[in-house]
Amino acid sequence: MNGESNSQKSLSLPSLTALRCFEVAARTEHFGRAADELHLTHGAISRAVRLLEEDLGVMLFERRQRRVFLTEAGERLYRAVREGLGGIRQTAQALRQQSRPQSLVLSCEPTLLMRWLIPRWPAFQALHPELDVHLMAGGGALSFDSGIDLAIRRNDFHWPEDLHSQLLFEERTGPVCQPGKVAQFFERREEGWALRPSAPRLHTKTRPSAWQAWRQHAGMSADEEVPGQTFEHFYFSLQGAVAGLGVAIGPYRQVCDDIEAGLLAAPLGFVPDGSDYYLLAPAKPEPGSPHETLANWLHHLS
């Protein structure tokens, strides 16, 4: 009986949940990042990997401080799991499109969705009334196993190598404020406008280093500590700038409509911040598919 039991166990697949946890942990080399991507706890990832190691009878990771590194056995398993999940993901995407060929779910970072995509969405609907595209807000790591077909994301996190990614545009940022406050928050110099040291800065918890990053990419020295407010979300800091509360760091595509409408001003212009926005999908779009139609329209906007 024991021989039969052991034989059956040797032929069985490892836990698919454990394999999924292992794949993300191996790709990110970090249990914490894997937990964030899969919306689990650090302990859940650790337990799943430990059970997988016990099941296979080999060590899959070397633990060093806060990071983990694949062993030789882990590398072998990672290649197999990545190929297997990639094939499943692509097939699932094809079946979804076959079952609802005119329907898509597009996930987009919340502020970009509200301030850039939605204002332009009526134009897409007018051009393609036959397509049913559901817009949803979401940022950072994602899983296409949750019913999302496409996603617009900034490349400030790691995503699986087998995902299909299309560059949409580079991120450019600059200080913005209410037009009536320009003279109060900025001063004229021979070389042009400059931010006054006393101008209140508006910060956000979702991009806490926005000011520091802008100064670095604009070739400026570190900023001194100045009075300011910190908001829970990036969107609120931009609304604070519209209300005249101070100066916020505004990504161009999230403030361009307000600048055109006269609600915001950007005296110093915008500079690339080193990041880009991509359209992500489980697989390359089929010619003539809703995915390709939407991707082409987004590229036209860029």
Side-chain angles (χ1 to χ4, degrees):
M1 291 295 292
N2 287 340
E4 182 179 349
S5 176
N6 291 334
S7 175
Q8 290 176 346
K9 182 177 180 180
S10 66
L11 294 175
S12 66
L13 281 172
S15 162
L16 294 181
T17 300
L19 288 173
R20 180 64 174 136
C21 293
F22 164 77
E23 186 272 333
V24 181
R27 170 164 42 83
T28 61
E29 296 183 336
H30 200 284
F31 283 4
R33 291 175 187 164
D36 291 340
E37 180 170 330
L38 296 175
H39 306 290
L40 297 171
T41 64
H42 184 285
I45 299 294
S46 181
R47 286 191 298 272
V49 170
R50 186 176 66 252
L51 290 174
L52 187 58
E53 290 177 325
E54 291 175 356
D55 180 24
L56 299 177
V58 295
M59 294 295 294
L60 299 172
F61 290 103
E62 293 180 11
R63 279 81 167 169
R64 303 178 199 165
Q65 297 179 344
R66 295 186 178 182
R67 295 185 63 185
V68 291
F69 299 87
L70 288 170
T71 62
E72 183 179 350
E75 288 280 3
R76 289 178 58 193
L77 182 62
Y78 178 50
R79 287 194 295 269
V81 172
R82 185 176 59 187
E83 292 174 3
L85 291 178
I88 293 172
R89 188 180 293 115
Q90 291 185 18
T91 301
Q93 176 75 354
L95 291 174
R96 290 191 188 107
Q97 292 185 358
Q98 178 180 329
S99 63
R100 44 185 176 88
Q102 298 299 96
S103 179
L104 286 174
V105 176
L106 172 64
S107 170
C108 182
E109 294 187 354
T111 307
L112 188 69
L113 176 67
M114 291 185 288
R115 299 182 67 92
W116 179 73
L117 186 56
I118 287 179
R120 288 155 180 75
W121 200 244
F124 177 82
Q125 292 181 318
L127 283 172
H128 303 285
E130 76 284 1
L131 297 184
D132 179 23
V133 181
H134 300 273
L135 301 179
M136 64 180 296
L142 74 158
S143 171
F144 285 103
D145 301 328
S146 59
I148 297 172
D149 296 297
L150 303 170
I152 298 176
R153 291 291 190 272
R154 191 160 62 104
N155 60 343
D156 57 352
F157 68 98
H158 298 282
W159 56 65
E161 296 175 2
D162 55 353
L163 290 186
H164 180 72
S165 62
Q166 297 169 269
L167 176 65
L168 293 179
F169 50 80
E170 68 175 1
E171 181 78 297
R172 294 187 294 132
T173 63
V176 295
C177 70
Q178 188 185 90
K181 298 283 187 175
V182 170
Q184 179 181 342
F185 297 152
F186 295 82
E187 59 183 352
R188 278 282 192 183
R189 297 179 181 174
E190 291 184 3
E191 64 273 18
W193 286 104
L195 185 65
R196 293 183 186 274
S198 60
R201 274 63 157 175
L202 304 181
H203 305 274
T204 172
K205 292 182 178 179
T206 53
R207 288 199 194 183
S209 61
W211 274 99
Q212 179 183 354
W214 171 75
R215 295 190 72 87
Q216 177 184 348
H217 290 99
M220 298 183 179
S221 58
D223 202 2
E224 297 181 1
E225 200 69 32
V226 294
Q229 298 184 53
T230 299
F231 296 88
E232 288 292 327
H233 196 279
F234 200 64
Y235 177 81
F236 300 145
S237 68
L238 297 179
Q239 287 303 108
V242 171
L245 298 179
V247 186
I249 292 298
Y252 173 73
R253 281 174 176 77
Q254 297 178 23
V255 297
C256 59
D257 290 349
D258 283 349
I259 291 174
E260 184 176 350
L263 298 175
L264 284 174
L268 305 184
F270 300 86
V271 296
D273 79 344
S275 65
D276 304 286
Y277 273 91
Y278 285 81
L279 180 65
L280 303 178
K284 184 178 180 179
E286 295 289 336
S289 66
H291 176 177
E292 183 185 59
T293 299
L294 179 57
N296 290 341
W297 181 77
L298 289 170
H299 279 290
H300 172 73
L301 291 182
S302 305

